[in-house]
Amino acid sequence: MQKLQSYIHGQWVEGSGEGVPMVDAVTGETVALSDTKGLDFDQALKYGRKNGEALRNMTFQERGMMLKKLAFYLMKRKKQFYEVSFRTGATKVDSWIDIEGGFGNLFANASLRKTFPNQPFDVEGDPIDLSRGGRFMAHHILVPKEGVAVHINAFNFPVWGMLEKCAVNWMAGMAAVVKPATNTSFLTEAVVREIIKSGILPEGSLQLISGSARSILDTVESQDVVTFTGSADTGRLLKSHRRLLEESVPFNMEADSLNSSVLGEDAKPGTPEFDLFIKEVRNEMTVKCGQKCTAIRRVIVPENLVEDVQIALGKALAKVTIGDPRLKEVRMGALVSKDQVQEVHERIQEMTKTASLVYGNLESPETIGADAKKGAFMSPIVLREDSPFENIAVHSTEAFGPVSTIMPYKNLNEAIELAKMGKGSLVSSIATNDDKIARDYTIKAATHHGRILVLNRESAKQSTGHGSPLPLLVHGGPGRAGGGEEMGGKRGIKHYMQRCAIQGSPTTLTEITGIYQANAKYKEAEKHPFAYHWDDIQPGMSLKTHNRTLTDTDIVNFGNLTWDHFYAHTDITSLEGSIFEKRTAHGYFIISAAAGLFVYPNKGPVAANYGLEEIRFLRPLYHNDTIHVRLTCKEKVDREQKGQELPSGIVKWYVEVFDTNITDGKIPEDEAEEKEALVAIATILTMVQKKQTTFTEINEDEITSALAKLEEDTKPAWGSMKPQHMLEHLETSYRIASGELQDFEIATPEKYLEDTRATLWNYEAMPKNFNFPLYEEGKLPALQHETLAEAKEKLKESRKEYLEFFKKNPEAITKNAVFGELTKYEWELLERKHLNHHFEQFGLL
């Protein structure tokens, strides 16, 4: 029997023992053996700490793009994982939640790169002035911990459970060691194999232990982070581990919890909310066979609606078909194992000491396409507890399967109290169309739940449901739920980082954080900052503008242009009792005038105004006041290339507007004078083009130089072209561009054409060994010219004709077989890429 392998120390290994069978939940057949005997977990942790440096050194933008690339890679291979997932008892819908939900976590966390600085660490919050003059200050930074994230996961989500945690720690810059639950680790192993095979993650970023690892916590260190998902009893045992206490290792626990859903008093039978409630409870009982940490265990309903809910829920569950999860007609598959079925039965027996079983039975259910006796099947079970305040077993015992208990309440306060009796849960929900009921429940119940969903007819169509944790929201809960938080957007990432307060002068902290701090020394730019490419701009780079006097006419005209006729700008007879002394300049006019002073008029790397983040007006300016502006680079944020635009990044500029009259146009002599002179501040954003360093810019001299190096026997670095084939291919391209050759069809399908054309704008080299669609596949066309020398001359001639064509016809559009219809500028982009590609192919550049 095949053994599952673990991936540690940069290689796939297997244990030296006999192994523990892992069974197919549907057929009972052995899938593989799990064996970790002889594996050195201590060395695995050390390996992750050491090799995690590559991740720690990456910027947030690089980590985010890495996650995005990995998500796309796995999505393309998702079908193979479904076949494995069926063996865990999961239906296609169950598997979709686990597999594509896990990949979705990578996408969602990748998007968070845009909210972090363009560096390996985070700068948190606002700067703190520790002195009156602003020359001594503090900030907080968060740096990646130098340990490993040890993830001990549950059996119910072998893919999602791994990736929802790893996506967060990878974004933080921390390596992971994953220990999935043994029962379903064969699915986790299948996904990890593809992740390692992709080569997208730096080596050491992910290690996998496929099986038992009881001693894995024995050598954790203070820089490590341990997370656990599973039963509350096991979680408490791990949490008290001696090593965790000695080393003060952060421990994040997400335990099973008795989640509740409340039917609002207004949600009577016949209302959309009643129907939505029944549907939600049925789904949470049957999706993954109720093996979800967020499943609804307690169904809290108005006492006069208990019978209605019981009947409606029974009818809904009666439509749930059970059997082989591969079959389309099956709506509920199997539990993970027969042992799990037995455990659920035992929990039901504990609760039925006081509660009544009102739907389902503990016998083997009818199944479709599967043998109920061989697989881990059971029917949905509904219990009813009529005295939930006296009989508390339903608030303390969880049957981790398709089991829920209905219980009554007299008023909303009782419903809230019942929800709290679970002593902390991951999620609660309420179905109501009364926003006052929703508000009262949410505010009063929030202390005991990690998330609360309000479900009504308005949100239903787009609601992700009671049981769906979302990557950008906190996933965790107080009390019994473990007291931890997983995911949660930036908050989740920060669990794997060390917060450190830093103190110093604004100038020093600017250099440390990479973000300009107010009152830091300026770095006078040698030329206008807008004349630099994104790569060459540095925080602190600054420009002081010339002066401008704001006239009475300016203020009146701005009011007429914008229709902003606020009295301070237009009616000087109404100023008595106000903060204004005379006709006042509009705040937005001041900012507009400031922009007029600092904007660089010439075409350059600045592509566009990208927005305004903050703006403050510190005191009024009046007609005849004179201003000047200080423009300073505050921060740079990387940005991926999108569509038909050149690669660019975002630059945040700190704009300070000064009253020149205060300082006679000179640099303020002291801090008090500087503070008095400052009248407005703003942070503006510009999109700035990145410097192109990938390609040699193509011109006649470069072409002549390259062709002089090309000989008959010059060998290509790739491909089957001979030198003359390459020249004639380029000649053909020029003749296509100039419209001489247009009798062909565009080979790229319409749905891919826009994305294909967009690749012309990026700075990435063309792929090697690409088959030109106008050639017969696998064959080179016959040569058209007698000699290589003639081919060189014809190439030059065709380029000259191409340039002349677009000189006379600058608006012309001609088609290309791969990229579709191209403008003059797009042909120039293609020429640069194309000639670089083939000249590099023959070593001519």
Side-chain angles (χ1 to χ4, degrees), residues 574-585:
S574 300
L575 299 181
E576 185 176 354
S578 73
I579 64 170
F580 307 107
E581 299 174 3
K582 44 188 175 180
R583 190 186 304 281
T584 308

Side-chain angles (χ1 to χ4, degrees), residues 584-606:
T584 308
H586 304 69
Y588 294 111
F589 171 52
I590 296 170
I591 293 301
S592 298
L597 289 171
F598 66 69
V599 165
Y600 186 60
N602 299 343
K603 183 177 181 180
V606 174

Side-chain angles (χ1 to χ4, degrees), residues 530-564:
F530 283 13
Y532 290 93
H533 285 86
W534 184 84
D535 318 64
D536 297 327
I537 297 172
Q538 297 300 324
M541 181 181 284
S542 185
L543 170 75
K544 178 182 178 296
T545 72
H546 54 280
N547 299 338
R548 173 174 177 173
T549 299
L550 311 179
T551 67
D552 194 68
T553 302
D554 289 334
I555 298 171
V556 172
N557 287 342
F558 189 84
N560 291 334
L561 179 66
T562 61
W563 292 11
D564 179 352

